Amino acid sequence: NDKFFDEVTMFESSGTSLVAGSTIDMEILRDLFGYVAEAAAVLDVDHDLRARVLQARERLAPLQVGKNGDLQEWLEDWGQREKSHRHISHLYGLFPGHRISTLKTPAFAEASRRVLEQRGLEGNGWASAWKAASWARLENSAEALQNIVYALTHYTTESLLSICSRKPQVDGAFGMTAAIAEMLLQSHEEALAFLPALPAAWPSGEVRGLRARGGFEVSLRWSEGRIERAEIASTLGRMCRIRTTLPVTVRSAGVAVRVNRKAADLVEFATVPGVRYVVSPGR
């Protein structure tokens, strides 16, 4: 309508332009269409809609690596327009999305790393949290911790609220807890990964009640940088998969549970709703 076009004209006259195919838009739409299709399949409804959204998803612009080796932020390879910036919007597919990973898409993971290095530490509370979580997804514990420390010393009040443009803001506080949780437990690749980005500064510790995809509640204890014990409560009774190359034993109420080695770095065991399982390294 006329009001919309008037607003677009004002937006463009301010020195900013609208673009098609920005990476974050493509990744959000790709997730949205995928979730709609998955829900339709599970519920056995909206078959025509499911077909249409899957067809639309195939037409979305793909992820691209630019000439400098970084993940492109735009459809065209415009490179980095500033020395650094608080926004890392095009890394949505790395975090909170799960299309980019060191395991399945190493080239895009490396391109994401280049972006994070270029964007640096400066920004504000929520930006530090997003960068820390992204570094955790890349399993780089040192960089993740560096962003946390920077946020605590530059963008955090005594009440632990974060700061954005000199104003208290809760986004960074919530985001930082998510980033720390991501350093200790990940479940975005259909398997649990214990301590995937544990910093050397946290050699021993314990965390309780982390929630993981698949309907699992996880508590962990570690020492000397290695997992000692994990307790997993199953709420949905799904197959529990753990990403590890080490042998593990699983017990429930003191009784051994059968564990299958599905791959060199993956084990799994069946669960029952409402039952707790203790996972320990070794046979």
Side-chain angles (χ1 to χ4, degrees), residues 12-32:
E12 292 180 333
S13 66
S14 70
T16 306
S17 59
L18 296 172
V19 299
S22 67
T23 299
I24 185 172
D25 289 343
M26 295 299 97
E27 292 305 283
I28 290 176
L29 287 172
R30 186 170 280 106
D31 275 1
L32 172 63

Side-chain angles (χ1 to χ4, degrees), residues 145 148 179-181 183-184 197-205 222-225:
L145 182 60
I148 292 173
I180 293 171
M183 295 166 73
L184 301 177
L198 182 72
W202 304 347
S204 301
W222 66 93
S223 65
E224 297 181 356

Side-chain angles (χ1 to χ4, degrees), residues 6-281:
D6 287 344
E7 289 177 351
V8 169
T9 300
M10 291 175 59
F11 189 68
E12 292 180 333
S13 66
S14 70
T16 306
S17 59
L18 296 172
V19 299
S22 67
T23 299
I24 185 172
D25 289 343
M26 295 299 97
E27 292 305 283
I28 290 176
L29 287 172
R30 186 170 280 106
D31 275 1
L32 172 63
F33 292 164
Y35 296 147
V36 169
E38 183 181 359
V42 170
L43 298 173
D44 193 24
V45 298
D46 297 327
H47 303 292
D48 290 342
L49 175 62
R50 182 175 189 274
R52 282 163 39 211
V53 297
L54 288 177
Q55 290 171 2
R57 188 175 65 173
E58 292 302 312
R59 297 197 299 270
L60 295 174
L63 292 172
Q64 300 179 86
V65 178
K67 60 181 178 296
N68 294 321
D70 53 344
L71 190 72
Q72 283 186 206
E73 187 169 2
W74 315 103
L75 195 59
E76 296 82 10
D77 187 9
W78 291 345
Q80 303 290 348
R81 312 303 291 178
E82 302 177 31
K83 182 179 179 180
S84 66
H85 199 274
R86 63 189 179 279
H87 283 279
I88 53 170
S89 302
H90 46 319
L91 300 193
Y92 173 92
L94 175 66
F95 184 92
H98 48 82
R99 188 171 181 231
I100 300 173
S101 76
T102 57
L103 182 66
K104 296 180 179 179
T105 59
F108 289 137
E110 172 62 18
S112 299
R113 181 187 66 81
R114 297 287 292 272
V115 172
L116 287 168
E117 289 179 339
Q118 192 277 336
R119 293 298 159 102
L121 291 170
E122 294 182 5
N124 52 43
W126 63 260
S128 294
W130 195 350
K131 291 173 182 177
S134 295
W135 279 117
R137 282 282 174 92
L138 295 177
E139 301 179 5
N140 191 318
S141 58
E143 293 289 351
L145 182 60
Q146 188 177 23
N147 276 273
I148 292 173
V149 172
Y150 194 87
L152 287 172
T153 53
H154 291 77
Y155 309 127
T156 306
T157 68
E158 291 184 358
S159 62
L160 296 184
L161 284 173
S162 64
I163 297 172
C164 179
S165 299
R166 299 184 296 277
K167 300 277 194 314
Q169 183 195 55
V170 76
D171 300 39
F174 288 161
M176 198 59 73
T177 59
I180 293 171
E182 203 71 24
M183 295 166 73
L184 301 177
L185 175 70
Q186 294 181 19
S187 60
H188 60 101
E189 293 185 296
E190 300 180 343
L192 306 181
F194 302 148
L195 311 180
L198 182 72
W202 304 347
S204 301
E206 183 176 1
V207 63
R208 301 177 185 176
L210 295 179
R211 305 293 287 192
R213 292 171 179 83
F216 300 110
E217 181 181 307
V218 182
S219 299
L220 304 172
R221 186 175 71 223
W222 66 93
S223 65
E224 297 181 356
R226 297 182 179 182
I227 194 74
E228 277 189 345
R229 183 181 188 274
E231 183 175 303
I232 301 172
S234 176
T235 63
L236 301 177
R238 295 181 178 176
M239 186 69 71
C240 182
R241 297 181 176 87
I242 301 173
R243 187 74 60 186
T244 180
T245 58
L246 301 174
V248 298
T249 59
V250 179
R251 294 183 176 276
S252 178
V255 179
V257 175
R258 181 179 178 180
V259 178
N260 297 317
R261 172 68 63 177
K262 300 297 293 183
D265 64 343
L266 187 69
V267 298
E268 68 176 19
F269 60 92
T271 72
V272 176
V275 175
R276 293 181 175 270
Y277 301 84
V278 176
V279 181
S280 305

